[in-house]
Amino acid sequence: MPPDEQFSNEYKWDIVKTKIQLIATSKIVMLTSGNWESLKDLRNVYTDHVFNLPSAVYRWSNDLFFGLQRLNSLNHSLIQLCTKIPEKFPVNDIMLEPLLEGLTIQQAIEQKRLFICDLKILEGLYVRPDFVLCAPMALFFVDSEKQLRPLAIQLFQEPGPDNPIFLPTDHSLTWALVKMWYNSADAAYHQSLTHLGFTHLLMEGVVVATHRQLSQSHPIFKLLAPHFLYLIAINSRGLELLVSENGWVDKTMNFGIKGMFELIRRGIEMWRLDLHGTLPEDLKQRGLDDLSVLPGYYFRDDALLHYKAINKYVKAYVALYYGKHRCARQWNFTSNEQLTAVLTTIIYTCSVSHASTNFPQYDEYGFPPNYPGLLRGSPPKDKRECTEQDILKCLPDRPTTLDIMIVTKILSQRGTKSLGDFEVQYIFDDEAREIVHEFRKDVAEISKIIKARNTQRNPPYLFLDPDIVPNSISI
C-alpha cells in the first residue's frame, strides 16, 4: 500500500486494539463460552455504556419490521415489483386468501401492491462443512395501511415436499425461524455484494485507475480525490482481519471466505455501472422508479435527493473544464453526459451507497436472531411447530456472538467528515470553488428535508441524513 494511502495518526483503524478496549469497557465476561439458554439470556448482555441495545431486540420477529428490513436497512436494493409469480414459487390464491385483504394475486399485481425478493444467486454456493445457506424467495404485500408485509417464504429455489412455502399463518415460532433463515441468506448477499463487492472492492479499482491515469493537478482527480480518502487503507486492513483465512467471516458466516469470494465473482459478472450502479436506472429496472409505488421506501426517496444533487454538482464541474466533444478526444467517453454519469456513480457509491449499507450493521447484526450471519443446524423442512429451544439451537454460541457484536459495532462507527465537508481541499479555482459551495448548499437543504421527513416516519430513517453520510469509504 502506498504511504500516502495509509491512515493518518489521527485516524487509526485497529480492530485488535479496539476489540480489547470494547471488551474491557463493556465488562461482558459472560460471553467467553457456551450457548444461549434463552432469548432473555441473550438480551441481558447489552448495556447502555458500550454495547447498547440494538433497535431490533424487541421487534425482530415482527412482520412489519421484517418488511422494513427489505426497504430501509442494510440490503435495500434487492426488492422489486412483482409482475408475475415465478413458476418455481407456486403460491396460489387459496394459500394467500387470508393475507391479501380480499384481493386475488392477479388483482394485487395489477394494483402494484405485490413485491418479490429472489436470492437465486446463492443457489449452489459453497458453505462451510456442517452448515447450510438457503437460496430463498419471499413475497411481500402493501396492505391498506401502506405497510409492507411478508406473504410467503420458500427457503430454496426448487419447490417440493421438503421445501414448503411458509406463511405468516403458520405457527409463530416456526414462521420466526423461517424468517431468520431468510435473513441469514440476505446477510450473505449483503456482506458479499451490497457492502464489500459493490462499494469497497469496485471503488478500490477506481481509486487505483485514477491515480495511475490522472495527474494530481487534473481537474477530475481533484473532483474525485476527497471521496477516496482511506479506502485502500480500510480495504487492506479488512482483507487482513475480516476476509482472511480463519478471519471474522470464516468464523461468523455460514459460507466463510470461500463462499463469499465465489458470490462476489458471481455478482460482479452481472453488475453494470449504467444499470445497477446508476440509482435511477436501478429503480426503473426493479419497477420502483414511480415514487407512489411501494410507500415507505425511505432509502429510495432519500437516496434520490443525494443522487440528483451529486449529478448536478458533477455536471456543473465537468462543464467548467470541458467544452463540447473534448471528453471524446481525451478518453473513451463520447460526451460530457457520459463522463458526468460515471463520475456521479463513483461519488454516490463512495458516499451515499456505502453509508446506507454500512452504518446500520450493529443495529441489525448485533442481535443475532434478527439478522444472523451464522445459523447452525438446518432450516425447517416442514410446518411442525417450533419452540424457543429450536431457535436457540440455531443461534451462534456466546463467543461468536461477541465477535459479531464487536466488529459490527466498530464498522457502524463514523470517523470522517460529512458529505461535502472535505478533509483535504483539492479545488482552488474560483469558479470551481463556487460549484463546490453550491453543492454544499444543496446538501444542507437535503439534510433539512430528511430531518423533516423523519418527524413523520415510524421508525425514522437516519442513515442518509447528510450529517451521517461521509465523503468516502473509510470504515
mmCIF file of all heavy atoms in Angstrom, residues 33 68 74 147 188 214 228 266 289 314 424 475:
data_model
loop_
_atom_site.group_PDB
_atom_site.id
_atom_site.type_symbol
_atom_site.label_atom_id
_atom_site.label_comp_id
_atom_site.label_asym_id
_atom_site.label_seq_id
_atom_site.Cartn_x
_atom_site.Cartn_y
_atom_site.Cartn_z
ATOM 1 N N SER A 33 -17.765 -18.439 26.725
ATOM 2 C CA SER A 33 -18.002 -19.811 26.269
ATOM 3 C C SER A 33 -19.470 -20.158 26.417
ATOM 4 O O SER A 33 -20.238 -19.465 27.088
ATOM 5 C CB SER A 33 -17.152 -20.803 27.085
ATOM 6 O OG SER A 33 -17.552 -20.764 28.446
ATOM 7 N N LEU A 68 -39.839 -3.862 6.655
ATOM 8 C CA LEU A 68 -38.988 -2.668 6.634
ATOM 9 C C LEU A 68 -37.525 -3.008 6.361
ATOM 10 O O LEU A 68 -36.797 -2.208 5.764
ATOM 11 C CB LEU A 68 -39.097 -1.933 7.975
ATOM 12 C CG LEU A 68 -40.353 -1.084 8.183
ATOM 13 C CD1 LEU A 68 -40.425 -0.581 9.612
ATOM 14 C CD2 LEU A 68 -40.387 0.086 7.211
ATOM 15 N N LEU A 74 -29.943 -2.736 5.646
ATOM 16 C CA LEU A 74 -28.655 -2.977 5.011
ATOM 17 C C LEU A 74 -28.742 -3.371 3.543
ATOM 18 O O LEU A 74 -27.915 -2.974 2.736
ATOM 19 C CB LEU A 74 -27.943 -4.107 5.758
ATOM 20 C CG LEU A 74 -27.633 -3.853 7.228
ATOM 21 C CD1 LEU A 74 -27.445 -5.172 7.947
ATOM 22 C CD2 LEU A 74 -26.378 -3.026 7.359
ATOM 23 N N GLN A 147 -48.362 -0.443 4.522
ATOM 24 C CA GLN A 147 -47.248 -1.098 5.187
ATOM 25 C C GLN A 147 -46.887 -2.369 4.425
ATOM 26 O O GLN A 147 -47.771 -3.097 3.986
ATOM 27 C CB GLN A 147 -47.614 -1.451 6.631
ATOM 28 C CG GLN A 147 -48.034 -0.245 7.459
ATOM 29 C CD GLN A 147 -48.595 -0.646 8.800
ATOM 30 O OE1 GLN A 147 -48.039 -0.362 9.847
ATOM 31 N NE2 GLN A 147 -49.720 -1.346 8.774
ATOM 32 N N ALA A 188 -25.750 -12.892 3.770
ATOM 33 C CA ALA A 188 -24.664 -13.341 2.894
ATOM 34 C C ALA A 188 -24.574 -12.444 1.663
ATOM 35 O O ALA A 188 -23.481 -12.045 1.238
ATOM 36 C CB ALA A 188 -24.892 -14.796 2.481
ATOM 37 N N LEU A 214 -4.414 9.749 -13.965
ATOM 38 C CA LEU A 214 -4.635 11.195 -13.872
ATOM 39 C C LEU A 214 -3.607 11.854 -12.970
ATOM 40 O O LEU A 214 -3.330 11.371 -11.864
ATOM 41 C CB LEU A 214 -6.041 11.499 -13.331
ATOM 42 C CG LEU A 214 -7.230 11.034 -14.162
ATOM 43 C CD1 LEU A 214 -8.529 11.439 -13.476
ATOM 44 C CD2 LEU A 214 -7.177 11.603 -15.567
ATOM 45 N N PHE A 228 -12.023 9.344 -2.031
ATOM 46 C CA PHE A 228 -11.151 8.171 -1.990
ATOM 47 C C PHE A 228 -10.400 8.041 -0.667
ATOM 48 O O PHE A 228 -9.644 7.095 -0.478
ATOM 49 C CB PHE A 228 -10.118 8.231 -3.121
ATOM 50 C CG PHE A 228 -10.704 8.158 -4.511
ATOM 51 C CD1 PHE A 228 -9.961 8.567 -5.604
ATOM 52 C CD2 PHE A 228 -11.993 7.686 -4.734
ATOM 53 C CE1 PHE A 228 -10.479 8.494 -6.891
ATOM 54 C CE2 PHE A 228 -12.527 7.614 -6.014
ATOM 55 C CZ PHE A 228 -11.761 8.019 -7.099
ATOM 56 N N ARG A 266 -19.676 -14.044 -8.784
ATOM 57 C CA ARG A 266 -20.971 -14.140 -9.485
ATOM 58 C C ARG A 266 -21.611 -12.766 -9.636
ATOM 59 O O ARG A 266 -22.144 -12.421 -10.695
ATOM 60 C CB ARG A 266 -21.923 -15.059 -8.709
ATOM 61 C CG ARG A 266 -21.533 -16.514 -8.663
ATOM 62 C CD ARG A 266 -22.589 -17.318 -7.895
ATOM 63 N NE ARG A 266 -22.198 -18.708 -7.717
ATOM 64 C CZ ARG A 266 -22.975 -19.634 -7.164
ATOM 65 N NH1 ARG A 266 -24.187 -19.309 -6.734
ATOM 66 N NH2 ARG A 266 -22.551 -20.882 -7.037
ATOM 67 N N ASP A 289 -39.300 3.081 -9.822
ATOM 68 C CA ASP A 289 -38.980 4.471 -10.122
ATOM 69 C C ASP A 289 -40.166 5.394 -9.903
ATOM 70 O O ASP A 289 -40.001 6.603 -9.742
ATOM 71 C CB ASP A 289 -38.456 4.616 -11.550
ATOM 72 C CG ASP A 289 -39.368 3.967 -12.578
ATOM 73 O OD1 ASP A 289 -39.987 2.936 -12.265
ATOM 74 O OD2 ASP A 289 -39.448 4.478 -13.712
ATOM 75 N N VAL A 314 -21.607 17.417 -10.301
ATOM 76 C CA VAL A 314 -20.646 16.886 -11.269
ATOM 77 C C VAL A 314 -20.868 17.505 -12.649
ATOM 78 O O VAL A 314 -19.908 17.855 -13.352
ATOM 79 C CB VAL A 314 -20.743 15.358 -11.332
ATOM 80 C CG1 VAL A 314 -19.881 14.799 -12.457
ATOM 81 C CG2 VAL A 314 -20.330 14.739 -9.997
ATOM 82 N N VAL A 424 -9.564 17.095 2.956
ATOM 83 C CA VAL A 424 -8.472 17.739 2.222
ATOM 84 C C VAL A 424 -9.070 18.545 1.081
ATOM 85 O O VAL A 424 -9.931 18.042 0.341
ATOM 86 C CB VAL A 424 -7.479 16.697 1.663
ATOM 87 C CG1 VAL A 424 -6.347 17.389 0.905
ATOM 88 C CG2 VAL A 424 -6.916 15.839 2.797
ATOM 89 N N ILE A 475 -14.367 3.222 6.547
ATOM 90 C CA ILE A 475 -14.566 2.290 7.648
ATOM 91 C C ILE A 475 -15.178 1.014 7.099
ATOM 92 O O ILE A 475 -15.823 1.053 6.040
ATOM 93 C CB ILE A 475 -15.460 2.896 8.740
ATOM 94 C CG1 ILE A 475 -15.510 1.999 10.000
ATOM 95 C CG2 ILE A 475 -16.859 3.119 8.212
ATOM 96 C CD1 ILE A 475 -14.235 1.929 10.748
#
